[in-house]
């Protein structure tokens, strides 16, 4: 099963937060304030305070 590449950006400051690659790996911008995953979802908090949560 291939996962399509997706990139997620902050809607306020347009900073790259994280991306899901074709091979299933997750690329996380380490300059974000916080990031966490439990295997089913990923939650990233941008420097400006916006929270982005996505199901994997």
């Amino acid at each position: 099963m291939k996962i399509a590449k997706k990139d997620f950006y902050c809607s306020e400051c347009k900073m790259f937060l994280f991306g899901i690659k074709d091979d299933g790996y997750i690329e996380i911008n380490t300059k974000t304030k916080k990031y966490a995953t439990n295997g089913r979802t990923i939650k990233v908090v941008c420097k400006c305070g916006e929270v982005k949560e996505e199901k994997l």
Side-chain angles (χ1 to χ4, degrees):
M1 182 174 104
K2 289 274 187 176
I3 298 174
K5 182 180 177 195
K6 297 180 188 177
D7 287 336
F8 296 91
Y9 295 89
C10 176
S11 60
E12 291 182 23
C13 64
K14 308 296 186 220
M15 184 173 88
F16 172 75
L17 298 176
F18 66 96
I20 302 172
K21 301 297 179 187
D22 291 333
D23 55 3
Y25 283 93
I26 301 170
E27 177 185 9
I28 300 174
N29 184 356
T30 56
K31 294 179 183 173
T32 57
K33 193 172 182 181
K34 289 193 263 183
Y35 52 90
T37 182
N38 64 0
R40 294 185 303 270
T41 60
I42 183 168
K43 183 177 180 181
V44 179
V45 180
C46 184
K47 286 182 179 178
C48 67
E50 181 183 345
V51 177
K52 180 75 88 174
E53 190 167 347
E54 182 71 21
K55 283 187 173 182
L56 298 177

